[in-house]
């Protein structure tokens, strides 16, 4: 197994999201900022599993990308979540290390946090990377 392409995968995801027109004006972070915008995207937790085979080293990464807002209702962040999915699925991502073999949407979870004043959608994607 190799975790060698993890940083390259995160960088490629960040570039895809920041360059996607429907997400212009939405702040994208990999850590919760001290003074977050009203609505922001957080490239968050990741799990990786060995997917090496006879052709070489590889890994499956399950990454979570969250949309967090203090806006009322879920409609506005569902729109942002849909744009994230559009920015990543079916779009070739170039990694600085390794090669992205596939990227799929797995699931989403929408919920209220902080006693209902903050809303969050967690999108989980599965990426297969070869080195």
């Amino acid at each position: 197994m190799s975790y060698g392409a993890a940083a390259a995968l995160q960088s490629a995801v960040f570039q895809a999201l920041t360059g996607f027109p429907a997400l212009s004006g939405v702040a994208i972070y990999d850590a919760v900022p001290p003074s977050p915008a009203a609505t922001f995207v957080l490239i968050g937790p990741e799990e990786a599993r060995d997917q090496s085979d006879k052709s070489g080293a590889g890994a499956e990464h399950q990454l979570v990308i969250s949309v967090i807002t203090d806006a009322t209702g879920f409609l506005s962040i569902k729109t942002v979540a849909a744009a994230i999915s559009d920015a990543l699925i079916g779009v070739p991502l170039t990694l600085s290390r390794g090669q992205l073999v596939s990227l799929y949407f797995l699931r989403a979870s929408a919920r209220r946090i902080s006693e209902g004043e903050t809303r969050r959608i967690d999108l989980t994607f599965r990426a297969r990377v070869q080195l």
Side-chain angles (χ1 to χ4, degrees):
M1 174 181 160
S2 178
Y3 194 61
L9 177 61
Q10 180 174 331
S11 293
V13 166
F14 179 81
Q15 291 301 318
L17 296 178
T18 57
F20 196 68
L23 294 171
S24 68
V26 178
I28 300 170
Y29 303 104
D30 72 348
V32 177
S35 299
T39 299
F40 65 96
V41 172
L42 182 64
I43 299 173
E46 170 187 21
E47 288 186 28
R49 290 185 173 80
D50 183 33
Q51 291 294 307
S52 300
D53 58 24
K54 64 182 178 180
S55 67
E60 175 190 283
H61 298 258
Q62 286 192 17
L63 26 129
V64 178
I65 301 173
S66 303
V67 185
I68 303 168
T69 189
D70 59 5
T72 304
F74 280 97
L75 183 59
S76 65
I77 64 169
K78 285 182 179 180
T79 302
V80 174
I84 290 169
S85 192
D86 292 344
L88 297 177
I89 301 302
V91 177
L93 300 181
T94 303
L95 279 57
S96 60
R97 180 174 180 190
Q99 177 183 2
L100 182 65
V101 175
S102 62
L103 179 64
Y104 297 100
F105 170 78
L106 282 181
R107 66 182 164 273
S109 172
R111 65 185 185 280
R112 289 183 182 91
I113 56 177
S114 301
E115 298 180 17
E117 296 177 13
T118 303
R119 284 155 179 78
R120 177 179 184 137
I121 297 177
D122 294 324
L123 303 159
T124 304
F125 295 89
R126 178 183 296 155
R128 171 77 167 84
V129 178
Q130 279 186 313
L131 291 173

